[in-house]
Amino acid sequence: MFTIHSKLVALAFLAACNAAVLTALSESASAQSAVTLTSEGISGDLDSKRRSPSLSVTPVVEGERVKLLVDAYVAHVEYQHLPIQFDFFINRHFFTSQIRSKELPGPIGIEIGPQTAALPFNYTVIAKLLHPNREFTTVINGAVFSSNLSGTLDCTLTTGLNGDNSVEFVANSISTAQSSNNSFSISFDADSVTGGHEVVFSSTINVNGDEAQAALSIAQNGAPAAIVQSEGEVEVDDGALQSISLSSTDGDVALECS
């Protein structure tokens, strides 16, 4: 029969093991330079008293297998003692559910193998703070790709390079949106550096290694959009997109982002 002392020792050992596992998972996430998504509430709607969990999800790609490392906390101090239930959906289908509480602490996360979902796939993580009378919920939707083409860049678009009316547009802190393992989109509206011109720009960029090809949609000064074929290169480092360099085949348009 366990004594109170032996039970406490066992609990301390389990807590130490959980901490070691969580540290290892965190180090793995760091080594993979994974992108962490964070959110609170559902689709931008927040609980006014901040009782919904603040949720973070870090996908870590390891070959054909993916780990979803998850953490959550509650900002409202009077609700921090309550348990949180985590529900995982892969490609819109329920996968598993986990729970964490003060009585049963430990790391939260799952591993997805190719037999469950091949890359790319989408996921949903739902964190629910369990309360005797109601639930407070946060939802994160995301996608995992075999390569990471996400980044936030400062971009310069130059039109009319070979003509007398070269115009330069600058757009800062532009985020890319990855759509497949080898493609991403980028878009922005910008005024010219010297004033007097405006542009609406968008493009889907296809990547093969460090080479890139794209059709650039450029609508300048309210005119219908012109589609310009371009090619160039991208740089991906530390698990994120670092730069884009594209120019049109006629040399009249250039896009530089870094």
Side-chain angles (χ1 to χ4, degrees):
M1 178 177 294
F2 279 100
T3 65
I4 293 178
H5 176 72
S6 62
K7 288 182 179 179
L8 290 175
V9 170
L11 288 173
F13 175 78
L14 288 174
C17 291
N18 286 330
V21 171
L22 183 58
T23 299
L25 292 176
S26 299
E27 290 175 351
S28 174
S30 176
Q32 295 291 330
S33 299
V35 176
T36 299
L37 299 180
T38 60
S39 185
E40 184 176 331
I42 303 176
S43 300
D45 290 342
L46 301 177
D47 177 66
S48 61
K49 297 182 180 179
R50 299 202 63 192
R51 294 169 292 186
S52 297
S54 179
L55 175 65
S56 64
V57 181
T58 305
V60 179
V61 179
E62 298 177 343
E64 294 184 333
R65 309 188 73 82
V66 177
K67 293 178 181 177
L68 294 183
L69 310 181
V70 176
D71 198 6
Y73 72 91
V74 178
H76 198 303
V77 294
E78 294 182 10
Y79 289 77
Q80 291 175 352
H81 66 288
L82 295 170
I84 299 176
Q85 177 179 327
F86 300 85
D87 296 330
F88 295 85
F89 292 79
I90 305 299
N91 286 336
R92 298 178 298 280
H93 294 285
F94 176 72
F95 181 72
T96 192
S97 184
Q98 298 178 9
I99 197 163
R100 187 175 68 192
S101 65
K102 280 194 169 185
E103 296 79 10
L104 293 172
I108 298 296
I110 59 173
E111 184 171 298
I112 306 299
Q115 70 280 4
T116 300
L119 291 165
F121 63 81
N122 62 66
Y123 65 85
T124 297
V125 179
I126 302 174
K128 294 183 288 188
L129 180 70
L130 303 182
H131 185 272
N133 298 325
R134 57 187 299 191
E135 295 175 349
F136 302 95
T137 306
T138 292
V139 177
I140 284 182
N141 297 301
V144 184
F145 304 95
S146 59
S147 60
N148 184 14
L149 298 174
S150 299
T152 301
L153 307 172
D154 297 330
C155 295
T156 299
L157 174 70
T158 308
T159 62
L161 284 174
N162 290 340
D164 296 330
N165 298 314
S166 177
V167 182
E168 187 175 279
F169 303 88
V170 174
N172 295 321
S173 301
I174 304 302
S175 296
T176 63
Q178 189 166 353
S179 52
S180 74
N181 286 333
N182 301 302
S183 65
F184 64 93
S185 61
I186 186 171
S187 62
F188 56 81
D189 300 352
D191 295 324
S192 61
V193 173
T194 57
H197 299 274
E198 58 184 19
V199 71
V200 177
F201 171 85
S202 63
S203 178
T204 296
I205 300 172
N206 299 306
V207 177
N208 182 13
D210 59 359
E211 298 179 352
Q213 292 182 330
L216 312 179
S217 174
I218 302 172
Q220 197 166 327
N221 299 328
I227 305 300
V228 179
Q229 299 300 321
S230 69
E231 58 185 20
E233 58 185 21
V234 298
E235 179 188 358
V236 179
D237 191 23
D238 289 335
L241 184 67
Q242 302 295 324
S243 67
I244 306 168
S245 179
L246 296 171
S247 59
S248 62
T249 52
D250 60 11
D252 281 345
V253 174
L255 176 69
E256 298 287 340
C257 300
S258 60

